[in-house]
Amino acid sequence: MTTPGTGRAASRRKPPHVLANARFRRLWTAMSVCSLGDWLNIVALTALAGDLTAESGYQVQSLAIGGVFVAKMLPAILLGPLAGAVADRFDRRLAMVVADVLRFALVLSIPLVLLLSTPSPGTYQWVIIATLLVECVNLFWVPAKDATVPNLVPKDRLEEANQLNMLVTYGTAPVAAGLFAVLALPSDLLRDILPLAEDPARLALFINAAVYLVSAFLIFTLPDFPKNHTGISTPSVLRQIGEGWRYVGASRIVRGLVIGMLGAFAAGGAVIGVARVYVEALGGGDSAYGTVFGAVFAGMAFGMFFGPRLLRELSRRRLFGLAIVAAGVVLAAIALIHNLVIVVLLTVVLGALAGIAWIIGYTLIGLEVEDQLRGRTFAFLQSLARVVLLLVVAVAPTLAGLYGERLVRVAPEVAYRFDGSNLVLLVGAVLASAVGLVALRQMDDRQGIPIIGDLVAAARGRRFATETQEQPRGMFIAFEGGEGSGKTTQSRLLGIWLRDQGFDVVQTREPGSTKVGMRLRAILLDAAHQGLSARSEALLYAADRAEHVEKVIMPALVRGAMVITDRYVDSSLAYQGAGRALDPADVTRINAWATGGLTPDLTVLIDVPPAIGLSRFASPADRIESEPPEFHERVRREFRTLAAAEPDRYVVIDGTQPQEEVSRLIQDRVREILPDPVPDDSEDATGTIPAIRD
């Protein structure tokens, strides 16, 4: 018996947020402060490099800014593993505090050198030297931080803690850029308040140095700092890339995702690399540069948060490729338009598109890659992204400087300025569009359906349907899952529940719901037909599905019935596509033609590990059930990938839970899409019936 107001609600109460942990909260605050300082350091140093070489011409200025980016990233690539191994031998608190104090002193030395000397080539050389030293010190702070976090939070909250860490790592970039833009306001506004306001880069570096000192204080005063070491040294970046490509290259979909994500990353990096010079060419100063720098990351944050919520009816794989292509188009517009306000707005859009591609790709890779390879794949992706960013931000301003400033005569009295930064952005736009098209071609799971029509339909909140297709009035629900997942039992329980609510329900299955289908089922599942080829199997399932849609599903939907099917198209994508290693584009194409593009309103995936599902069978296994465990693991992985690609169509249920709980969760989700509201009395319709073979 439960106390009123408790019961299920109490059992679902969420555990305290990870930030409720006082020690992790203090470390996270220090990380936030340091991330803000790191981004402010990048903006201030690139602006300072541009100011110091402004009198030396366009080429020298571009090369000077590129030198800062190289100095910022080269130590991590060349010395990262060595520093990590050395850092693991020191007390972590001492290593982090000393590193913060050294960063404070080195960053502070840059504006002090400017105050005590006249700007000269030697001044710029000290900027580069100090930057290199700061980044070398960073190599001791970062691994010590990474090794400390797992010892401050429980293992089941580590993912949440890492998400918060990524939030401050990238989320502080627009804050730092905005702060620099404010500091770079006309000096007359701030001169009476801050004596150093005449030079915003110098003032930003003073603030940057103070930020590192605050971080040192927070780390030094952190109570009960963990003492044990967990081994934080890592292989070299280049070695991670070499090893990772062996795992990534084996899957065309993962390969397409990685290529696309790196293309989106490079598009944003191209803007950052030439932003300082380009903004100055457009008539803007340090404030405008800070605004453009922040616009990229503000757009990325917006895209990562809101992107997956846009165009809900569009395939996630299609949205991934289209976002990269669109980013290339926007980057081309940035390259050719000579209006600073429009450039800032387009930069926000560019960042948003890159953020959409990055978050979708990151999610799909997490589900596509096997558990034992996932860590190495992400390490490979992050390492390769770092190298790509280094190349882009170093090569972009260098290429811009080598090309120089030029005027193109478009008419006798009309000249169009097309300098090195325009060229770099335009080349980046072409490459981004090409990468997006490659990713779209490799990953498109709706081939045969026109992209423009699909986009228009998704913008209107519905799935694309051909003009000749009779529009159904009912609702279509499909159950998917591996062998022994319980989907057959749950589909029948849902049918019983919906009939109790007064709905006209048609219960069906694949294969074998038509006269032709019954014969096909005998062929497909009979263990005596083990020699059936994978292509023949896929075609037979598609033939059964064509009969099923035309004779059973569509007539019921047209009359307004609720259709519940045990398996549908996604089973072919999982079993024949992933299980039999057929080209998923081919499987998608033949099934889209067989079904006329009919897609379920809701797909319920009952997710059960194959070892558990197969153990539920007492009778002899059929042709599919007798496949080896690796086959069923690939099937399960593909189902989860499909669910991640279309989260609004799917609901994923843990099938290892009690039958009543699984039924309740399914009913809760179905209730959300029913045309008429159904009271929340799910406890009256979760009775059990004998489990049925799946």
Side-chain angles (χ1 to χ4, degrees):
M1 187 173 185
T2 59
T3 304
T6 62
R8 183 179 297 142
S11 65
R12 292 188 202 166
R13 185 172 299 151
K14 292 183 178 180
H17 195 276
V18 68
L19 287 178
N21 182 326
R23 293 194 301 161
F24 173 73
R25 185 171 63 248
R26 179 176 283 265
L27 179 62
W28 183 78
T29 303
M31 292 164 53
S32 305
V33 169
C34 278
S35 293
L36 177 65
D38 291 340
W39 287 113
L40 188 61
N41 183 264
I42 292 176
V43 183
L45 288 178
T46 50
L48 181 61
D51 292 339
L52 290 175
T53 56
E55 303 297 328
S56 301
Y58 182 91
Q59 290 185 335
V60 174
Q61 188 181 41
S62 299
L63 294 172
I65 294 172
V68 171
F69 282 120
V70 171
K72 294 289 291 183
M73 297 184 184
L74 203 56
I77 293 178
L78 298 180
L79 304 176
L82 175 63
V86 173
D88 200 22
R89 302 175 184 274
F90 295 116
D91 177 83
R92 293 195 198 125
R93 188 206 297 267
L94 180 63
M96 295 175 73
V97 170
V98 171
D100 278 330
V101 172
L102 288 175
R103 289 193 293 184
F104 160 76
L106 288 168
V107 172
L108 185 63
S109 71
I110 298 174
L112 290 179
V113 167
L114 291 173
L115 282 174
L116 300 175
S117 63
T118 303
S120 64
T123 307
Y124 173 75
Q125 290 173 6
W126 175 245
V127 170
I128 297 299
I129 293 171
T131 301
L132 281 168
L133 293 175
V134 167
E135 295 308 314
C136 289
V137 172
N138 270 345
L139 299 180
F140 292 86
W141 195 94
V142 173
K145 178 264 297 181
D146 289 339
T148 301
V149 171
N151 294 320
L152 293 180
V153 298
K155 289 185 177 180
D156 59 339
R157 310 308 299 276
L158 186 57
E159 182 177 1
E160 183 181 356
N162 289 334
Q163 290 174 346
L164 285 171
N165 295 346
M166 287 190 66
L167 174 65
V168 297
T169 298
Y170 296 102
T172 51
V175 177
L179 176 60
F180 184 79
V182 171
L183 296 176
L185 289 173
S187 58
D188 291 342
L189 300 178
L190 299 175
R191 186 180 301 163
D192 295 335
I193 303 173
L194 298 171
L196 299 173
E198 294 182 3
D199 188 344
R202 188 189 310 169
L203 178 57
L205 289 171
F206 275 115
I207 296 175
N208 177 204
V211 159
Y212 289 137
L213 204 58
V214 171
S215 173
F217 172 79
L218 291 172
I219 299 298
F220 183 76
T221 57
L222 186 98
D224 301 323
F225 200 92
K227 297 292 184 182
N228 57 309
H229 295 288
T230 58
I232 56 179
S233 58
T234 59
S236 72
V237 171
L238 297 180
R239 183 178 175 184
Q240 286 182 6
I241 292 173
E243 292 180 349
W245 186 253
R246 289 185 298 169
Y247 304 106
V248 172
S251 170
R252 194 176 74 165
I253 292 178
V254 176
R255 190 166 61 246
L257 286 168
V258 169
I259 292 173
M261 293 169 70
L262 293 177
F265 208 71
V271 175
I272 295 174
V274 298
R276 180 64 179 83
V277 177
Y278 190 42
V279 166
E280 185 170 328
L282 295 179
D286 288 336
S287 180
Y289 169 54
T291 302
V292 170
F293 190 97
V296 175
F297 292 95
M300 287 187 68
F302 183 89
M304 289 181 181
F305 186 79
F306 291 104
R309 295 166 173 78
L310 300 175
L311 302 175
R312 293 177 180 271
E313 298 300 325
L314 186 66
S315 159
R316 298 297 95 178
R317 294 186 185 183
R318 273 198 165 182
L319 181 57
F320 174 80
L322 290 173
I324 299 173
V325 174
V329 174
V330 172
L331 188 56
I334 293 174
L336 298 175
I337 294 175
H338 291 171
N339 183 288
L340 185 57
V341 175
I342 297 177
V343 165
V344 171
L345 295 176
L346 290 176
T347 302
V348 175
V349 177
L350 174 68
L353 292 169
I356 291 172
W358 183 264
I359 194 65
I360 292 176
Y362 213 77
T363 301
L364 291 178
I365 285 179
L367 291 168
E368 181 72 22
V369 179
E370 297 179 12
D371 291 344
Q372 62 268 31
L373 302 179
R374 191 172 299 141
R376 276 178 283 184
T377 302
F378 278 125
F380 158 75
L381 178 62
Q382 292 167 357
S383 300
L384 190 56
R386 188 186 303 171
V387 171
V388 168
L389 184 61
L390 170 65
L391 292 175
V392 171
V393 299
V395 171
T398 303
L399 179 60
L402 294 176
Y403 183 82
E405 294 180 283
R406 303 189 184 185
L407 292 177
V408 179
R409 291 286 175 183
V410 296
E413 297 182 357
V414 179
Y416 178 81
R417 191 190 74 250
F418 190 82
D419 54 32
S421 54
N422 298 117
L423 175 64
V424 167
L425 294 175
L426 199 57
V427 170
V430 173
L431 291 176
S433 297
V435 166
L437 290 173
V438 170
L440 186 60
R441 183 180 181 83
Q442 291 198 355
M443 299 170 51
D444 192 2
D445 55 352
R446 287 174 63 78
Q447 293 193 15
I449 298 176
I451 292 180
I452 299 300
D454 208 11
L455 275 172
V456 172
R460 295 175 178 174
R462 61 173 184 263
R463 301 284 288 183
F464 177 82
T466 60
E467 295 179 0
T468 58
Q469 182 179 2
E470 190 172 5
Q471 296 301 311
R473 301 190 305 272
M475 187 167 292
F476 185 21
I477 300 174
F479 276 75
E480 301 284 9
E483 306 303 316
S485 61
K487 58 180 178 47
T488 301
T489 300
Q490 291 299 333
S491 66
R492 295 194 179 189
L493 284 174
L494 179 63
I496 294 171
W497 180 73
L498 287 172
R499 289 188 186 97
D500 290 342
Q501 311 305 323
F503 291 100
D504 176 13
V505 179
V506 173
Q507 200 94 34
T508 185
R509 70 173 182 177
E510 290 187 358
S513 286
T514 63
K515 291 183 179 180
V516 173
M518 292 173 65
R519 296 185 179 184
L520 293 172
R521 183 181 179 90
I523 297 173
L524 286 164
L525 300 183
D526 191 345
H529 295 112
Q530 288 291 351
L532 187 66
S533 73
R535 291 177 181 271
S536 297
E537 181 181 277
L539 290 169
L540 288 175
Y541 273 112
D544 169 79
R545 191 161 292 126
E547 281 287 296
H548 190 205
V549 169
E550 183 175 340
K551 302 290 179 59
V552 179
I553 297 177
M554 280 302 298
L557 291 176
V558 169
R559 78 167 188 263
M562 307 284 292
V563 178
I564 302 175
T565 181
D566 179 358
R567 296 205 183 281
Y568 192 56
V569 172
D570 291 344
S571 281
S572 283
L573 293 173
Y575 281 85
Q576 283 74 57
R580 303 295 187 202
L582 294 177
D583 188 339
D586 291 339
V587 179
T588 298
R589 189 181 304 110
I590 63 173
N591 280 278
W593 180 73
T595 63
L598 178 65
T599 305
D601 297 290
L602 176 68
T603 298
V604 180
L605 174 60
I606 310 295
D607 183 41
V608 170
I612 296 176
L614 294 172
S615 68
R616 294 174 174 176
F617 293 123
S619 56
D622 62 28
R623 195 175 66 88
I624 301 297
E625 296 160 3
S626 61
E627 292 291 341
E630 296 78 11
F631 173 89
H632 295 286
E633 286 289 350
R634 292 196 299 271
V635 169
R636 182 194 184 201
R637 202 159 53 242
E638 181 65 13
F639 271 132
R640 295 172 65 180
T641 299
L642 292 169
E646 297 188 77
D648 297 308
R649 174 167 71 87
Y650 262 91
V651 57
V652 182
I653 306 294
D654 181 2
T656 62
Q657 301 178 89
Q659 186 186 92
E660 294 81 1
E661 178 66 10
V662 173
S663 295
R664 183 189 63 77
L665 293 172
I666 294 171
Q667 292 169 14
D668 287 347
R669 181 64 180 89
V670 171
R671 184 181 287 108
E672 297 175 3
I673 65 172
L674 290 177
D676 299 315
V678 176
D680 188 0
D681 55 354
S682 57
E683 305 216 1
D684 63 354
T686 56
T688 60
I689 64 173
I692 303 167
R693 287 188 69 199
D694 291 317

